[in-house]
Amino acid sequence: MHTCPKLNTRAHNGLMRAIQAMSPGSADVLAWNEVDRPACGPDDVIVQLHAAGVNFIDTYRRSGVYPMDYPHIPGAEGSGTVVEAGANADIAVGAKVAWAFSHSSYAEFVAVPAKECIPVPDGVDLDIAAALPLQGLTAHYLVRSTYEVKAGDTILITAGAGGVGGLVIQLAKLHGAQVITTVGSPEKAEIAVGHGADHVLDLSTMSDLTTEIPAAVRAIVPEGLAASYDGIGKDTFDGTLACVKPRGIQVLFGGASGQVAPFDLQRLNAAGSIFITRPSLGAYIATREELRWRAEELFSAIAAGDLNVPIGLALPLSEAQRAHEALEGRETTGKVILRAH
Ligand SMILES: NC(=O)c1ccc[n+]([C@@H]2O[C@H](COP(=O)([O-])OP(=O)(O)OC[C@H]3O[C@@H](n4cnc5c(N)ncnc54)[C@H](OP(=O)(O)O)[C@@H]3O)[C@@H](O)[C@H]2O)c1
């Protein structure tokens, strides 16, 4: 039987510390509790957490936008060291792994299906490994698969100083596109330019996003965009849709400002036979091969110095409430992580 020197007394007693969302609501429903450590199923590994990544989906699940049981431990991604492996798991104890799609990551120990584990290459810091998976894999599928960005395209990505937005800018530039992005302040505009954005629209200077976003975009590219990637949702959707060129694509990938109302398909006709999609990460990492392909391309880009994963805020795991408030309050840039130690 394997014994791990890193296991602490609480873990031997079958208990650990974790954040729990006690009921649907704002960030103050998050509590730092002592709970049972997860059991290791035959297809799982137990990972001692290094850090959990914080994502908007954690806030949707906490607040009740997405149906959940309560209390639940939030958190879809993280990084750490395998301390226990199920009988069918082909990952060794001691391996450094990251993951993007498992629940209950805001905890000292996390049960992760072995097929969802991403090996962390030597030399990659475990903070970066926690920060990259969910936003990185999302940026990768948006730019490589939902619409395959290529040289000569002009694309728009919202929130270019944010997590997904900053990575989409960098990947789209690597594929030769001209990139327009949006930000909420002049300080964030500088960050987006640092990621490589060619043009930045500061939404804080606009009073009518539905008319002023397309006017600003068409001043840059009169024919319109090959692809318009909108993760802000409710506040920007009508404006970003009006930027798409005939036979181009509108990609609604999130709702940071709220969910978009039901949509009249005749608008696609009027806009010039444009396409629309509402993608989610799960469908783009459905097989282990696809997950590993995307992760390997991202880690290779980091190793080559082509992709920077900026961590804007790192807090102790116990301070998840503060992290959610910052993310929902538009205070953050780059990635937010919660460190276990
Ligand atoms: N579909 C998928 O597979 C998938 C996967 C991951 C994430 N997402 C989505 O992608 C979006 C971005 O996620 P992220 O984790 O990278 O977050 P983020 O971009 O780091 O943060 C969200 C940003 O949205 C902007 N924003 C504009 N209006 C807002 C409002 N009313 N409230 C809050 N933020 C507002 C803010 O930037 P400014 O202040 O600069 O405007 C804010 O910093 C989210 O909608 C998320 O749900 C989707």
Side-chain angles (χ1 to χ4, degrees):
M1 193 182 100
H2 173 79
T3 54
C4 177
K6 284 190 173 175
L7 293 183
N8 61 27
T9 311
R10 278 200 303 267
H12 280 304
N13 291 338
L15 294 173
M16 65 176 183
R17 298 301 295 262
I19 293 289
Q20 288 185 300
M22 304 307 290
S23 58
S26 52
D28 57 9
V29 302
L30 297 176
W32 178 231
N33 290 336
E34 196 160 61
V35 299
D36 288 337
R37 187 184 144 173
C40 188
D43 300 317
D44 297 339
V45 295
I46 301 293
V47 181
Q48 184 167 22
L49 188 78
H50 171 80
V54 178
N55 291 285
F56 250 92
I57 195 164
D58 307 343
T59 70
Y60 303 149
R61 289 176 174 147
R62 184 213 70 221
S63 65
V65 171
Y66 290 174
M68 295 292 287
D69 292 330
Y70 298 87
H72 72 262
I73 299 174
E77 77 179 336
S79 70
T81 305
V82 173
V83 293
E84 195 179 339
N88 305 330
D90 58 355
I91 298 179
V93 168
K96 309 272 189 234
V97 295
W99 59 94
F101 218 61
S102 296
H103 292 194
S104 305
S105 299
Y106 293 5
E108 289 177 320
F109 294 89
V110 184
V112 184
K115 67 178 181 355
E116 293 182 19
C117 286
I118 302 166
V120 178
D122 288 344
V124 174
D125 185 271
L126 280 178
D127 277 356
I128 298 296
L132 179 71
L134 205 145
Q135 293 175 343
L137 292 165
T138 299
H140 187 278
Y141 86 71
L142 290 174
V143 167
R144 301 281 278 121
S145 303
T146 305
Y147 173 77
E148 196 167 356
V149 173
K150 56 192 179 309
D153 286 340
T154 301
I155 64 134
L156 171 82
I157 172 70
T158 53
V164 175
L167 297 171
V168 166
I169 292 171
Q170 295 179 67
L171 293 179
K173 290 305 298 175
L174 282 175
H175 287 89
Q178 172 173 238
V179 179
I180 305 171
T181 193
T182 72
V183 293
S185 69
E187 296 73 29
K188 289 184 174 181
E190 282 181 30
I191 291 170
V193 168
H195 292 318
D198 298 289
H199 303 274
V200 181
L201 314 183
D202 184 347
L203 301 185
S204 70
T205 66
M206 297 182 179
S207 54
D208 179 358
L209 300 181
T210 301
T211 58
E212 289 180 63
I213 289 175
V217 166
R218 288 188 187 270
I220 299 163
V221 54
E223 70 273 23
L225 303 166
S228 172
Y229 296 102
D230 189 337
I232 294 179
K234 189 172 168 217
D235 289 356
T236 49
F237 178 78
D238 289 327
T240 59
L241 183 80
C243 301
V244 180
K245 74 179 182 184
R247 294 168 60 178
I249 185 166
Q250 168 84 346
V251 183
L252 175 68
F253 68 96
S257 68
Q259 304 306 311
V260 172
F263 183 79
D264 176 4
L265 289 174
Q266 284 304 328
R267 292 175 66 184
L268 305 180
N269 172 358
S273 302
I274 67 172
F275 296 82
I276 191 164
T277 182
R278 176 51 176 100
S280 64
L281 176 59
Y284 285 92
I285 53 170
T287 65
R288 192 176 196 176
E289 291 68 33
E290 193 169 17
L291 170 67
R292 294 274 175 106
W293 164 61
R294 295 190 192 284
E296 281 163 18
E297 284 211 356
L298 289 165
F299 281 127
S300 297
I302 291 173
D306 290 335
L307 187 66
N308 179 31
V309 184
I311 296 174
L313 182 64
L315 292 170
L317 183 55
S318 57
E319 294 182 28
Q321 181 179 329
R322 169 85 196 100
H324 277 215
E325 286 167 351
L327 188 63
E328 293 176 292
R330 294 175 80 165
E331 293 170 33
T332 61
T333 61
K335 183 69 191 182
V336 182
I337 62 167
L338 296 168
R339 290 198 189 107
H341 305 288

